[in-house]
Amino acid sequence: DVVVEGKNARGTPVTRTNCRIVDTPGHGKLRRDAMGELSRAAALVFVVDSSTFTTEKKDVAAYLFNLLSSELVQRRRIPIFIACNKTEKLTSHPPDFIRKRLEKEIDSLRAAKRAELPDIAITKAQKRANEIAAKKNAKLRLLGQRPGESFTFEAFSKSTKVPVSVGRTSATKLDVAAACDFIIQRGA
């Protein structure tokens, strides 16, 4: 449990005590632990290394895609803040650049998921169960957009009621005000 100090939607300073923050590393082998925490999450802060983003964008987008297409995130409407970290470095990219690239990569992932091969079923009951599951997954993976539309976080937020925002942070410079404000405004 930690104390979070930030500003509410009106700009008034607020202190929230007893905030439970769970830090899960983004390493592929540990992501299952992060997905397990979704059932208790009031809000998500998705940290992106803005200095190495271009070399890791496919992996970052795939992880974010899995979060956005999660039934728990969409059903519970868990707000997401994409924190572009390490913004103090000369090699870092601005949040708008990262947002646009993530949208492009997620759109590519949506197209790839639509083209996946169907599951093989042996019995009629298995086939029907696979069809129902595929329909549900297809709806979740559309991320609130129509099949021909390009993905944007803005359209995703409007259609699914899952607010997504992007901002800059710097943990080494202790510049985490944008993340704290998000937790104060969106966290429960």
Side-chain angles (χ1 to χ4, degrees), residues 91-105:
T91 58
S92 70
H93 296 286
D96 195 47
F97 173 87
I98 292 171
R99 179 188 55 77
K100 288 176 184 174
R101 294 306 180 279
L102 282 173
E103 288 173 342
K104 206 173 187 181
E105 288 296 325

Side-chain angles (χ1 to χ4, degrees), residues 53-116:
F53 174 73
T54 52
T55 59
E56 299 172 355
K57 70 182 174 187
K58 287 190 183 307
D59 194 37
V60 170
Y63 189 16
L64 186 56
F65 176 82
N66 287 336
L67 285 170
L68 296 173
S69 61
S70 163
E71 183 180 9
L72 272 173
V73 169
Q74 290 187 27
R75 184 173 33 89
R76 293 187 59 228
R77 298 180 176 157
I78 301 172
I80 299 170
F81 177 69
I82 301 169
C84 301
N85 194 31
K86 299 184 183 179
T87 55
E88 77 283 355
K89 293 189 173 189
L90 291 174
T91 58
S92 70
H93 296 286
D96 195 47
F97 173 87
I98 292 171
R99 179 188 55 77
K100 288 176 184 174
R101 294 306 180 279
L102 282 173
E103 288 173 342
K104 206 173 187 181
E105 288 296 325
I106 289 171
D107 200 41
S108 296
L109 286 166
R110 284 175 57 225
K113 293 293 182 183
R114 276 195 307 271
E116 279 184 348

